[in-house]
Amino acid sequence: MSPAPSPSQIVLAEDNPADVGLVLEAFREHQVHCTLRVLSDGQQVLAFIDSLESNNHLPCPDLLLLDLSLPKHDGREVLSYLRASERCGRTPVVVMTSSDWIEDRRTAEKHAAVHYFRKPSSLDEFLQLGTIVKDVITGPRSAKA
C-alpha cells in the first residue's frame, strides 16, 4: 500500500478576514485538502519568498492565492517579485480580486497567473474558487519536482 500523498501547500495572500473565511469554506465545500499559510500583507509575502530563496530545504508552495489589493506591497508587486524568484518563480498563481480593471487582468496575464478570479458578491459564486484551486493543484501544471 503506497503512502497517502502529502497535502498541497497553499499560500493565501489576503488581508480581509472575511475573505479568508470564504476561501476556507470554498476549500471545505470542494474537499481541497491542503496546508494553508495565510499572509495578510505584501511585505509578509515578499519576506516569505525571500525565505524560500535562501533555504533550499523549504519547499515552494504548490499554489499562491493572491489578492491584488494588499497593504504594504500590492499583489502586482508580489506577483512580479515571485516571478523573479529563481526557486519558486514557476509557482502557480490564482489572482483573487474585486477588481475588474483591464490593467489588473493584463498584469495577471503578463505574469502567467493561471486564473483571474473576480471576487463575486454571492456565496455560491465565491465557493467556486474551491473548484478552481482543486483543478490547479491536481492538474498537470502542479507536478511536484
Side-chain angles (χ1 to χ4, degrees), residues 19 29 31 46 59-60 79 84 86 91-92 98-100 105 118 129-130 132:
D19 286 345
E29 177 78 18
Q31 299 177 350
L46 297 183
C60 295
L79 191 49
E86 284 191 31
T91 298
S98 54
S99 171
D100 205 19
R105 287 183 178 274
R118 188 163 181 276
L129 179 63
I132 293 164

Side-chain angles (χ1 to χ4, degrees), residues 17-116:
D19 286 345
V20 172
L22 288 169
V23 168
L24 292 171
E25 184 59 32
F27 286 6
R28 275 190 292 274
E29 177 78 18
H30 293 278
Q31 299 177 350
V32 175
H33 303 290
C34 67
T35 301
L36 183 67
R37 177 185 207 132
V38 179
L39 303 172
S40 61
D41 66 52
Q43 186 172 336
Q44 290 177 353
V45 183
L46 297 183
F48 176 71
I49 294 167
D50 286 341
S51 72
L52 296 173
E53 283 294 315
S54 65
N55 186 341
N56 289 335
H57 300 293
L58 294 175
C60 295
D62 297 303
L63 175 65
L64 171 63
L65 284 173
L66 178 64
D67 181 12
L68 290 183
S69 300
L70 293 172
K72 299 187 181 176
H73 295 279
D74 68 21
R76 294 160 209 80
E77 292 175 81
V78 168
L79 191 49
S80 179
Y81 198 79
L82 175 67
R83 290 301 180 232
S85 166
E86 284 191 31
R87 285 196 63 233
C88 301
R90 295 182 59 159
T91 298
V93 176
V94 171
V95 169
M96 295 184 343
T97 183
S98 54
S99 171
D100 205 19
W101 190 42
I102 190 69
E103 286 304 314
D104 286 340
R105 287 183 178 274
R106 285 184 183 140
T107 296
E109 185 177 304
K110 174 185 170 191
H111 293 291
V114 295
H115 194 85
Y116 189 94

